[in-house]
Amino acid sequence: QVQLVESGGGLVQPGGSLRLSCAASGSIFSISGLAWYRQAPGKQRELVAAISRSGSTNYADSVKGRFTISRDNAKNTVYLQMNSLKAEDTAVYYCNADIRTSVVGGRSDYWGQGTQVTVSS
């Protein structure tokens, strides 16, 4: 019943910026970790950035200093601000959330449908 919807992808020139959003909705009791992954054709899916509920962050070395992950707990939304974009950043970006849907039971991972980011001149 949980749904994650990404938005904000598109075509941008090298050096440009883009901001991705992912909103979670449905039967949500609480959200622990939130993260952005990306996958380019023929490549392994990789973790881009992650953020805990308290705001602690972790970034892939390839995006450190350029990308910023943030979250709005009241809105169940996670963002990815991408600056100084490079052609190598081209990929489908997926939102991932570690969510509890009730007081009982453990957490489960949920994924968004993905949004395409293309960096090209």
Side-chain angles (χ1 to χ4, degrees):
Q1 201 169 1
V2 173
Q3 184 178 24
L4 303 182
V5 180
E6 300 104 331
S7 62
L11 175 65
V12 65
Q13 294 183 323
S17 297
L18 212 56
R19 187 177 189 240
L20 305 183
S21 299
C22 174
S25 62
S27 300
I28 300 171
F29 177 75
S30 65
I31 301 177
S32 184
L34 285 162
W36 288 95
Y37 288 78
R38 68 185 181 187
Q39 187 167 25
K43 301 296 182 181
Q44 295 263 83
R45 181 182 61 187
E46 65 173 348
L47 176 67
V48 177
I51 185 169
S52 71
R53 184 170 179 82
S54 64
S56 297
T57 58
N58 184 45
Y59 297 92
D61 289 341
S62 60
V63 307
K64 285 182 179 177
R66 299 189 297 120
F67 290 11
T68 302
I69 187 170
S70 61
R71 64 189 288 171
D72 185 332
N73 292 331
K75 295 182 177 180
N76 289 333
T77 300
V78 62
Y79 307 92
L80 185 67
Q81 178 66 47
M82 304 184 292
N83 299 325
S84 301
L85 283 161
K86 306 173 181 179
E88 303 89 89
D89 295 317
T90 296
V92 176
Y93 284 70
Y94 297 93
C95 174
N96 172 262
D98 188 0
I99 297 174
R100 290 190 66 170
T101 57
S102 67
V103 175
V104 297
R107 304 190 301 263
S108 296
D109 281 338
Y110 294 88
W111 294 87
Q113 79 287 349
T115 185
Q116 177 71 48
V117 172
T118 301
V119 184
S120 177
S121 59

